[in-house]
């Protein structure tokens, strides 16, 4: 809660304490039932078949209903209403096919984590096929995503959704006489300065997140948008010599690029034989929805005023893994939509903390494992569940998470007035930086 001291023209907020955890990763893993770590190629494959069956059924039903939208079937007062009806029908198809297509994306993602099966060859083959079919350079993304898991929430090592700092945005330098480093106390003068630089109109606050949802994923793999800012300009997931790849990974990046070119060729061939409209409504619209859900889900998993980001002196793997949130996708639209959102996307949003503690647990075991893990974590007092994942939450988080300070080993987002919701309390024993070699 914020209060204003009229005499000094200062706004003061009562911040919530974030108790920085100091839990050994082994203790967290030991809390998870052993059978949750078991991986089955057969069981995992069932989910691929189911997702593809649902998408195919949606397409079949949509084409059937489309054929019934004619004056011979029923009468409408205006001929344009038939076009509007077809547009609405195919829009519904695109939404639901995209949601279940995200489920396929998630299974490809599990292949990259080697949680699809016990066989690395099967995992990488299935993952390459699934992700190539969705325009994803499989190994390129697998490698950088592994680095993201190794350094989640690390200001200089994480690979995606790295917060912008005060200096990154060219904001006025921090002035301790006019504001508190932790964001609990800010003068009206500083608030005005920051708002002029960062404040959004209602339209701007909608359009910017919308641009993320539409183009954020291709921008990330093509130009490192929202990625690690210390990487040189021109860094992308299609260059085998890019800074985030090692020389021995060169061939894997080439294979990934070949997969994307095959995908592009398949789309071009389909357009040649079927026409652009058919390919657009049957595949490209659901594909855009998949990209949309990927950005929305991952943004909300890692971005919130409740979550810390770490610099090297206070970073540990466990702290980074716990600097995420579980969210019930589409739960703001009611319990039925919450169930459908979780089912279609294979629980990727609802069990995300568990996924960061152990990414080799397959999604069908993640629910039980997540429950056990949260029971272990409950005494730590850290936030684990965020508000439901959806467009309203994307808007709220975008408005509240503008920048972090250039100073501090544990930092929280500040809003456009320079105020932060949380403050860190460190345990007596300090953490240390860690890293994972990605092969």
């Amino acid at each position: 809660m914020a209060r204003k001291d009229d005499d000094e023209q200062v706004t003061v907020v009562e911040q919530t304490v974030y108790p920085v955890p100091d839990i050994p990763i082994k203790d967290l893993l030991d809390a998870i039932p052993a059978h949750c770590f078991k991986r089955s190629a057969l069981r995992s494959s069932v989910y691929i078949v189911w997702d593809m069956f649902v998408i195919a059924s949606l397409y079949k039903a949509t084409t059937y209903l489309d054929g019934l939208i004619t004056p011979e079937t029923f009468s409408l007062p205006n001929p344009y209403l038939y076009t509007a009806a077809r547009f609405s029908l195919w829009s519904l198809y695109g939404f639901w096919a995209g949601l279940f297509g995200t489920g396929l994306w998630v299974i490809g993602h599990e292949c990259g984590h080697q949680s699809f099966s016990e066989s690395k060859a099967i995992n990488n083959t299935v993952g390459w096929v699934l992700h190539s079919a969705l325009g994803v350079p499989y190994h390129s993304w697998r490698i950088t995503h592994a680095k993201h898991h190794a350094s989640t929430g690390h200001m200089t090592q994480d690979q995606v959704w790295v917060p912008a700092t005060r200096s990154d945005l060219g904001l006025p330098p921090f002035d301790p006489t006019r504001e508190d480093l932790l964001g609990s106390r800010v003068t009206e003068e500083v608030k005005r300065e920051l708002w002029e630089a960062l404040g959004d109109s209602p339209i701007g606050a909608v359009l910017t997140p919308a641009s993320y949802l539409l183009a954020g994923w291709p921008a990330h793999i093509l130009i490192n948008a929202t990625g690690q800012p210390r990487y040189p300009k021109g860094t992308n997931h299609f260059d085998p010599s890019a800074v985030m790849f090692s020389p021995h990974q060169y061939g894997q990046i080439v294979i990934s690029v070949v997969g994307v070119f095959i995908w592009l060729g398949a789309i071009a061939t389909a357009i040649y034989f079927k026409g652009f409209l058919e390919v657009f409504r049957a595949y490209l619209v659901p594909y855009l929805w998949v990209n949309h859900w990927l950005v929305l889900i991952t943004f909300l998993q890692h971005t919130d005023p409740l979550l810390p980001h770490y610099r090297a002196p206070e970073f540990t793997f466990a702290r980074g893994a716990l600097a995420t949130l579980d969210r019930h996708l589409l739960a703001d639209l009611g319990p039925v939509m919450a169930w459908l959102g979780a089912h279609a996307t294979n629980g990727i949003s609802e069990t995300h903390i568990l996924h960061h503690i152990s990414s080799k647990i397959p999604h069908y075991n993640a629910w039980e494992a997540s429950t056990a893990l949260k029971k272990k974590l409950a005494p730590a007092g850290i936030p684990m569940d965020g508000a439901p994942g959806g467009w309203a939450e994307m808007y709220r988080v975008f408005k509240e998470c503008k920048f972090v300070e250039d100073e501090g080993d544990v930092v929280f987002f500040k809003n456009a007035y320079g105020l932060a919701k949380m403050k860190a309390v460190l345990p007596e024993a300090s953490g240390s930086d860690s890293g994972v070699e990605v092969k």
Side-chain angles (χ1 to χ4, degrees):
M1 174 179 281
R3 62 181 176 81
K4 186 178 292 186
D5 188 328
D6 292 328
D7 293 333
E8 298 182 22
Q9 289 294 295
V10 172
T11 298
V12 179
V13 294
E14 297 177 11
Q15 294 177 310
T16 302
V17 169
Y18 182 92
V20 175
D22 202 17
I23 308 171
I25 192 68
K26 184 181 184 301
D27 290 359
L28 299 178
L29 293 174
D30 287 346
I32 300 169
H35 64 266
C36 292
F37 293 91
K38 293 181 179 179
R39 301 164 287 171
S40 167
L42 178 60
R43 188 173 180 184
S44 296
S45 298
V46 168
Y47 289 90
I48 297 177
V49 174
W50 172 248
D51 288 340
M52 294 182 71
F53 172 77
V54 171
I55 294 170
S57 299
L58 288 168
Y59 178 76
K60 194 71 175 177
T62 301
T63 53
Y64 174 76
L65 294 173
D66 181 83
L68 298 179
I69 304 176
T70 65
E72 290 76 20
T73 306
F74 57 90
S75 178
L76 292 174
N78 189 301
Y80 289 111
L81 291 177
Y82 293 100
T83 302
R86 289 192 183 93
F87 178 83
S88 299
L89 175 65
W90 282 99
S91 295
L92 283 173
Y93 160 79
F95 175 86
W96 289 109
L99 199 63
F100 278 88
T102 305
L104 289 172
W105 199 104
V106 169
I107 296 173
H109 151 265
E110 291 200 338
C111 291
H113 283 296
Q114 308 302 311
S115 60
F116 182 84
S117 77
E118 301 286 344
S119 167
K120 187 174 183 179
I122 291 175
N123 292 336
N124 286 338
T125 300
V126 174
W128 181 85
V129 171
L130 288 177
H131 272 189
S132 295
L134 292 167
V136 180
Y138 171 71
H139 286 292
S140 307
W141 180 83
R142 175 185 66 79
I143 291 165
T144 61
H145 188 63
K147 291 185 176 184
H148 157 66
H149 270 258
S151 303
T152 306
H154 194 303
M155 286 295 296
T156 57
Q157 299 295 330
D158 203 352
Q159 303 294 302
V160 68
W161 301 125
V162 181
T165 64
R166 179 186 288 261
S167 60
D168 288 337
L169 298 177
L171 299 176
F174 172 73
D175 183 350
T177 65
R178 301 191 302 159
E179 54 186 316
D180 172 45
L181 187 64
L182 299 180
S184 65
R185 183 179 183 277
V186 182
T187 65
E188 292 301 302
E189 182 181 17
V190 169
K191 287 175 64 178
R192 282 194 301 271
E193 290 174 355
L194 292 175
W195 179 258
E196 288 174 2
L198 299 171
D200 299 299
S201 67
I203 294 177
V206 170
L207 292 181
T208 303
S211 69
Y212 288 1
L213 295 174
L214 286 172
W217 167 244
H220 175 64
I221 60 175
L222 287 169
I223 60 173
N224 193 41
T226 74
Q228 179 49 245
R230 67 181 176 85
Y231 287 164
K233 186 177 181 180
T235 296
N236 66 80
H237 280 69
F238 296 89
D239 179 6
S241 302
V243 66
M244 62 265 206
F245 306 129
S246 299
H248 73 274
Q249 295 165 338
Y250 192 99
Q252 298 176 65
I253 311 308
V254 172
I255 292 172
S256 304
V257 174
V258 168
V260 173
F261 273 106
I262 293 173
W263 169 71
L264 291 172
I267 292 175
T269 302
I271 291 173
Y272 178 80
F273 286 104
K274 294 290 187 178
F276 177 77
L277 177 61
E278 177 64 20
V279 175
F280 179 75
R281 67 185 186 180
Y283 176 82
L284 293 178
V285 170
Y287 164 75
L288 292 174
W289 273 111
V290 171
N291 291 352
H292 156 279
W293 290 120
L294 174 61
V295 172
L296 184 145
I297 290 169
T298 57
F299 175 80
L300 292 178
Q301 286 167 342
H302 296 285
T303 312
D304 195 279
L306 300 175
L307 296 177
H309 283 78
Y310 297 94
R311 293 191 169 94
E314 293 299 338
F315 178 82
T316 67
F317 174 82
R319 287 177 179 177
L322 296 175
T324 62
L325 288 175
D326 290 345
R327 297 182 187 269
H328 291 277
L329 187 65
L330 299 178
D332 53 341
L333 301 178
V336 173
M337 288 297 288
W339 182 86
L340 286 169
H343 172 72
T345 60
N346 294 313
I348 190 63
S349 183
E350 291 78 7
T351 60
H352 192 66
I353 295 175
L354 177 278
H355 176 63
H356 269 269
I357 294 299
S358 179
S359 58
K360 282 191 176 181
I361 294 178
H363 70 271
Y364 43 81
N365 291 334
W367 300 93
E368 180 184 355
S370 180
T371 299
L373 177 65
K374 286 184 175 179
K375 184 177 180 181
K376 173 69 174 180
L377 286 170
I382 61 173
M384 292 184 282
D385 294 292
W391 302 294
E393 181 66 357
M394 183 92 179
Y395 174 85
R396 181 193 71 83
V397 171
F398 177 79
K399 292 273 289 183
E400 292 190 21
C401 297
K402 292 301 185 182
F403 71 99
V404 299
E405 290 293 350
D406 296 283
E407 303 174 49
D409 294 330
V410 185
V411 292
F412 290 89
F413 273 108
K414 292 184 174 181
N415 62 19
Y417 293 115
L419 297 167
K421 181 174 291 186
M422 306 291 286
K423 64 178 179 180
V425 173
L426 290 165
E428 292 183 7
S430 178
S432 62
D433 197 17
S434 65
V436 175
E437 182 180 357
V438 182
K439 298 181 180 179

